[in-house]
C-alpha cells in the first residue's frame, strides 16, 4: 500500500499542498510551528477519520476559513482508489472513497492504513493505561472491521450503563449487564489474540534494535490489574482464558462490585480498565527500565504494530514518524530504520536534517515546509 498523491487545503495551518510522495522515504524539514506535524496528521486523518490531537474536529479547520479538504490517491497491490474528506465548521465530516460517500466514518478504516509514531508515544511504556489501550485498539481496528464496530457498540453500552447508575435506575442493570458482558468478552478475546501476535513481532524488532535484550508484551485483563506481579511471574507460561471462562469472571466481577458501583455511580468492571505490561529481560519495563530501554521498547512496539496490520491486511501500512528519531541515539535510529521493510512507505518529519543518519536517508525525497507550504522537493 502506498500514497501516490496527497492534496490538503485549509487543514490546520496548511494553506494548500499538492504532493506526490516517494514510494519509500519522504522527509519533511522545517522549524517548529511550520506545519510538519499537521501534514502527518492530515495523512493519518485520511486513514482513520480521526485526529490523535484534536478534541473537536472544528479545531482541524484553519481559523481563517470554514472548510478543510483532504484528498489522497492510494495504490494497492492490484488496484487503486481515491479518498476525500471534507470538514465543514459546525457540520459532520463527509468522506468519499472513489465516488461513493461513506455512511459511517468507521468504514474508511483499512482503505489507507497508517501507523503513527509521535513524541507522545515515547511515554507508552510508562504512561497511562488508557494510552496503552488506545495503542492496542487502533491496531486491531485497522486490521479488523468487526472489532471497530464492537468497540463502538461497547462504548455506547458503557455510556448508557453509567448513565443508569448515575440516575439511580438500578432496575435497568440486568439489561445493560448482559450486553456489557457479551460485547466486552468479545473485545477482550480479540485483544488477547492480538497481543500474542504483537508480542512476537515486538520481540524480534526489539532484539534487532537493542542487540541483546528480550521484550515481551503481556495482556493484563481488568480483573487481574491488582495482581500485576502475579501476571509477570506466570508470563513465561502464558495465561490463556477461554470465552466461557472470561464470561464467568466478568459476570462474577459485576456482582462483586455491584454495591461499590452504586456508591460511585460508575462502571468499575470491564475491558475499559484493561492494561498492557512490557517486560524487558523478564522485568517490568515501566518500573525497572531505563529511559533508553523504554524508548527502544516503544520503537519495537511500533514496528510490531506495522507488521501486525500488514499481516492482517496483506498490504503494508504507511509509517508516519513525527520528529521522534532525533530524540534517539544514532545507533538506535540507524537500526530502527534498517529494520523497516523496503516495501514500507515512510513519512518522516524533523527540524534538523543533520541529526539523522546519512546512510538511512539514501534515496529519500526531501521537502522543506514553511508557514504551511512546501517550498521545494529534492532527492537526497
Amino acid at each position: 500500500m502506498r500514497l501516490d498523491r496527497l492534496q490538503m487545503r485549509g487543514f490546520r495551518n496548511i494553506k494548500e499542498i499538492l504532493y506526490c510522495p516517494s514510494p519509500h522515504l519522504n522527509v519533511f524539514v522545517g522549524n517548529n510551528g511550520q506545519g510538519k506535524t499537521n501534514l502527518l496528521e492530515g495523512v493519518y486523518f485520511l486513514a482513520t477519520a480521526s485526529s490523535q490531537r484534536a478534541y473537536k474536529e472544528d479545531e482541524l479547520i484553519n481559523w481563517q476559513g470554514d472548510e478543510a479538504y483532504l484528498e489522497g490517491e492510494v495504490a494497492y497491490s492490484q488496484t487503486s482508489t481515491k479518498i476525500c474528506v471534507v470538514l465543514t465548521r459546525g457540520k459532520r465530516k463527509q468522506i468519499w472513497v472513489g465516488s461513493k460517500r461513506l455512511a459511517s466514518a468507521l468504514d474508511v478504516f483499512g482503505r489507507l492504513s497508517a501507523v503513527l509514531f509521535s513524541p507522545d508515544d515515547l511515554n507508552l511504556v510508562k504512561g497511562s493505561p488508557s494510552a496503552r489501550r488506545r495503542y492496542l485498539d487502533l491496531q486491531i481496528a485497522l486490521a479488523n472491521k468487526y472489532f471497530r464496530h464492537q468497540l463502538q457498540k461497547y462504548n455506547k453500552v458503557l455510556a448508557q450503563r453509567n448513565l443508569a447508575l448515575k440516575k439511580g435506575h438500578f432496575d435497568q442493570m440486568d439489561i445493560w449487564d448482559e450486553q456489557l458482558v457479551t460485547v466486552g468478552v468479545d473485545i477482550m478475546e480479540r485483544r488477547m489474540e492480538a497481543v500474542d501476535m504483537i508480542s512476537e513481532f515486538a520481540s524480534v524488532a526489539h532484539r534487532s534494535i537493542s542487540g541483546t535484550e528480550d521484550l515481551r508484551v503481556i495482556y493484563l485483563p481488568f480483573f487481574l490489574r491488582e495482581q500485576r506481579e502475579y501476571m509477570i511471574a506466570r508470563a513465561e507460561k502464558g495465561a490463556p482464558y477461554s470465552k466461557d471462562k472470561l464470561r464467568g469472571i466478568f459476570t462474577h466481577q459485576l456482582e462483586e462490585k455491584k454495591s461499590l458501583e452504586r456508591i460511585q455511580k460508575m462502571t468499575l468492571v470491564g475491558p475499559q480498565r484493561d492494561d498492557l505490561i512490557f517486560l524487558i529481560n523478564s522485568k517490568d519495563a515501566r518500573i525497572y527500565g531505563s529511559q533508553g530501554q523504554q524508548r527502544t521498547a516503544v520503537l519495537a512496539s511500533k514496528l510490531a504494530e506495522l507488521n501486525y496490520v500488514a499481516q492482517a491486511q496483506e498490504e503494508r501500512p504507511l509509517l508516519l514518524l513525527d520528529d521522534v528519531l532525533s530524540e534517539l541515539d544514532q545507533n538506535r535510529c540507524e537500526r530502527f530504520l534498517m529494520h523497516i521493510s523496503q516495501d514500507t512507505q515512510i513519512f518522516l518529519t524533523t527540524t534538523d536534517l543533520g541529526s539523522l543518519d546519512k546512510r538511512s536517508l539514501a534515496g529519500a525525497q526531501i521537502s522543506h515546509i514553511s508557514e504551511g507550504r512546501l517550498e521545494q522537493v529534492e532527492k537526497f
Side-chain angles (χ1 to χ4, degrees):
M1 181 182 298
R2 69 178 186 273
L3 187 61
D4 281 346
R5 182 176 176 273
L6 174 66
Q7 184 175 357
M8 302 175 64
R9 184 173 63 249
F11 184 86
R12 296 280 196 183
N13 78 328
I14 302 292
K15 295 177 175 62
E16 185 158 11
I17 283 178
L18 180 59
Y19 179 66
C20 296
S22 159
H24 183 48
L25 180 57
N26 299 272
V27 181
F28 302 95
V29 188
N31 294 328
N32 292 326
Q34 300 306 303
K36 304 185 306 298
T37 296
N38 296 339
L39 191 149
L40 261 59
E41 184 180 18
V43 175
Y44 192 71
F45 200 90
L46 279 171
T48 64
S50 64
S51 165
Q52 78 283 9
R53 298 191 300 154
Y55 179 69
K56 296 180 180 179
E57 289 180 353
D58 279 3
E59 297 172 15
L60 302 174
I61 302 172
N62 188 284
W63 66 275
Q64 292 180 316
D66 293 316
E67 185 175 283
Y69 179 79
L70 303 171
E71 179 183 309
E73 291 184 6
V74 186
Y76 312 108
S77 301
Q78 304 295 329
T79 185
S80 62
T81 193
K82 182 168 71 174
I83 303 173
C84 297
V85 177
V86 176
L87 299 172
T88 305
R89 200 176 300 280
K91 297 182 180 179
R92 293 183 61 183
K93 59 179 169 276
Q94 302 174 54
I95 306 172
W96 284 265
V97 174
S99 59
K100 181 181 178 182
R101 181 175 172 181
L102 301 184
S104 169
L106 290 176
D107 293 334
V108 80
F109 274 77
R111 314 289 184 138
L112 172 63
S113 295
V115 171
L116 174 65
F117 187 12
S118 71
D120 289 342
D121 291 320
L122 291 171
N123 291 316
L124 179 66
V125 172
K126 62 181 180 181
S128 67
S130 62
R132 289 186 284 275
R133 285 193 299 271
R134 176 177 169 79
Y135 155 78
L136 177 60
D137 287 342
L138 276 174
Q139 294 179 61
I140 308 174
L142 283 170
N144 189 308
K145 181 177 180 180
Y146 176 75
F147 178 83
R148 299 193 293 271
H149 289 281
Q150 287 295 87
L151 191 61
Q152 185 182 54
K153 183 178 180 180
Y154 182 84
N155 288 332
K156 288 181 178 178
V157 171
L158 180 62
Q160 292 294 328
R161 189 177 189 275
N162 282 336
L163 183 62
L165 283 167
K166 186 176 181 180
K167 292 185 174 182
H169 296 165
F170 303 133
D171 57 321
Q172 299 178 5
M173 287 299 104
D174 287 347
I175 298 173
W176 297 123
D177 286 358
E178 176 61 29
Q179 295 183 52
L180 198 76
V181 171
T182 299
V183 184
V185 165
D186 202 15
I187 288 170
M188 294 176 70
E189 190 176 40
R190 292 176 189 277
R191 282 179 177 174
M192 282 190 292
E193 293 171 356
V195 171
D196 285 346
M197 294 180 62
I198 291 164
S199 184
E200 290 183 20
F201 288 133
S203 179
V204 172
H206 190 272
R207 187 166 290 276
S208 175
I209 298 169
S210 69
T212 57
E213 295 173 336
D214 178 62
L215 172 69
R216 292 198 66 192
V217 185
I218 301 172
Y219 175 66
L220 183 63
F222 69 89
F223 52 84
L224 288 177
R225 278 185 61 174
E226 295 177 0
Q227 302 179 49
R228 188 182 184 92
E229 294 303 319
Y230 165 78
M231 285 295 289
I232 292 173
R234 68 175 294 184
E236 298 303 319
K237 298 180 181 179
Y241 291 92
S242 67
K243 198 163 191 173
D244 287 341
K245 186 171 183 179
L246 281 176
R247 187 177 182 87
I249 294 172
F250 203 150
T251 302
H252 175 73
Q253 288 275 311
L254 282 171
E255 182 63 29
E256 192 175 67
K257 303 285 186 182
K258 180 190 294 184
S259 298
L260 189 58
E261 285 187 335
R262 293 183 178 186
I263 294 171
Q264 297 191 11
K265 299 184 183 303
M266 64 181 297
T267 301
L268 303 176
V269 173
Q272 76 278 7
R273 301 175 69 84
D274 288 349
D275 201 354
L276 295 176
I277 303 174
F278 293 82
L279 295 183
I280 298 178
N281 293 339
S282 300
K283 293 184 179 179
D284 191 343
R286 189 191 71 177
I287 300 172
Y288 301 106
S290 67
Q291 183 170 313
Q293 287 178 316
Q294 290 175 347
R295 288 186 170 186
T296 304
V298 176
L299 282 173
S301 299
K302 282 295 173 178
L303 288 176
E305 180 179 352
L306 191 75
N307 290 325
Y308 172 77
V309 177
Q311 180 168 302
Q313 292 189 336
E314 299 182 350
E315 293 275 359
R316 292 198 69 78
L318 279 57
L319 179 59
L320 313 179
L321 302 172
D322 187 18
D323 201 21
V324 290
L325 298 189
S326 59
E327 299 189 35
L328 305 170
D329 65 61
Q330 188 168 334
N331 288 334
R332 281 187 169 89
C333 177
E334 183 179 346
R335 288 174 179 172
F336 176 73
L337 290 175
M338 287 178 61
H339 190 83
I340 300 171
S341 167
Q342 290 296 310
D343 295 332
T344 303
Q345 188 178 35
I346 305 170
F347 293 75
L348 184 156
T349 71
T350 183
T351 56
D352 179 16
L353 201 59
S355 67
L356 301 176
D357 179 68
K358 300 300 183 290
R359 288 172 295 180
S360 303
L361 294 175
Q365 184 164 284
I366 312 294
S367 302
H368 297 265
I369 189 166
S370 177
E371 296 182 352
R373 297 186 186 277
L374 287 180
E375 293 190 326
Q376 65 186 78
V377 178
E378 58 188 1
K379 292 290 186 179
F380 187 82

